[in-house]
Amino acid sequence: MVINSESTDRVLERTALRLLIGGGLLAGLTLQQVGDEAGVAKGLVYHYFGDRQALLRSALRHGAMELQDMIRATPYSSYDRRVGAFAKAALVYPAAIQLMTLLLIDRDPRLRPRPVRGLVMQNFERDVRESRLPANTDFEALLGVQNSLVYGYVVFRDGLARQMGVERDVLDS
């Protein structure tokens, strides 16, 4: 049995993530399912989160914080190595990317799809100073393309692996 509210929140978030990953992003996750799976009443889930979007946002926030910590821990290096490190981090926490995608599809107005934008922009500026990127680089466009490629890969990787007839881990490498 869960004792404090913080651990209850986390249990419910992890349950929602597990259900989403198991059933698919568009499977229609309900607060009732989360409560049933976590062994609590739907009312308790509603009490903590209010609605499905709030639960998903909370789960995303925790997953994104872990993903951001990995990105921030990556030492400054060449652009291609940073993108590679970002992609690897996204593969460690695919649920964060999947949830972000779901919330984007749901048109959540509070979602920030580029949570480490400031750090990335600082690195781009440093790249220009060190002549690793051209001075006229459109940082916003580059960041948009970079995120789209990594997020898209995480979302499509299972289908790509099936279509290509390879294991997902082989495709990831």
Side-chain angles (χ1 to χ4, degrees):
M1 171 130 200
V2 179
I3 304 292
N4 66 44
S5 63
E6 182 177 16
S7 60
T8 300
D9 290 353
R10 294 296 289 151
V11 166
L12 295 171
E13 290 168 359
R14 286 188 186 109
T15 299
L17 288 174
R18 192 172 55 254
L19 288 169
L20 278 171
I21 291 167
L25 289 176
L26 302 177
L29 178 74
T30 67
L31 297 182
Q32 182 69 53
Q33 288 173 302
V34 173
D36 290 348
E37 182 74 15
V40 300
K42 172 187 170 185
L44 185 64
V45 182
Y46 184 81
H47 170 75
Y48 277 100
F49 298 102
D51 62 25
R52 178 177 172 265
Q53 270 195 338
L55 170 60
L56 295 177
R57 273 193 306 274
S58 183
L60 172 62
R61 184 177 60 250
H62 286 100
M65 285 189 298
E66 293 170 358
L67 180 61
Q68 289 174 39
D69 289 345
M70 283 186 74
I71 293 168
R72 285 189 176 103
T74 303
Y76 176 79
S77 62
S78 66
Y79 173 75
D80 58 328
R81 287 186 184 189
R82 289 193 319 268
V83 172
F86 171 45
K88 286 178 184 175
L91 294 175
V92 171
Y93 296 105
I97 301 298
Q98 292 166 338
L99 271 178
M100 188 173 299
T101 302
L102 180 62
L103 290 169
L104 284 167
I105 291 168
D106 282 348
R107 298 180 188 258
D108 183 340
R110 292 185 271 178
L111 182 65
R112 292 179 42 222
R114 302 178 306 167
V116 290
R117 180 185 174 277
L119 174 64
V120 173
M121 292 299 170
Q122 288 173 1
N123 285 337
F124 287 164
E125 290 167 2
R126 184 173 175 181
D127 290 336
V128 168
R129 285 193 309 274
E130 295 178 2
S131 300
R132 293 181 177 193
L133 283 176
N136 64 347
T137 299
D138 183 338
F139 296 161
E140 292 292 341
L142 184 57
L143 179 58
V145 168
Q146 168 187 302
N147 285 359
S148 296
L149 289 171
V150 171
Y151 293 10
Y153 178 74
V154 171
V155 170
F156 282 96
R157 70 198 261 240
D158 289 330
L160 290 171
R162 274 193 310 275
Q163 186 176 21
M164 296 169 71
V166 298
E167 294 294 320
R168 184 176 67 190
D169 294 342
V170 171
L171 185 62
D172 288 349
S173 66

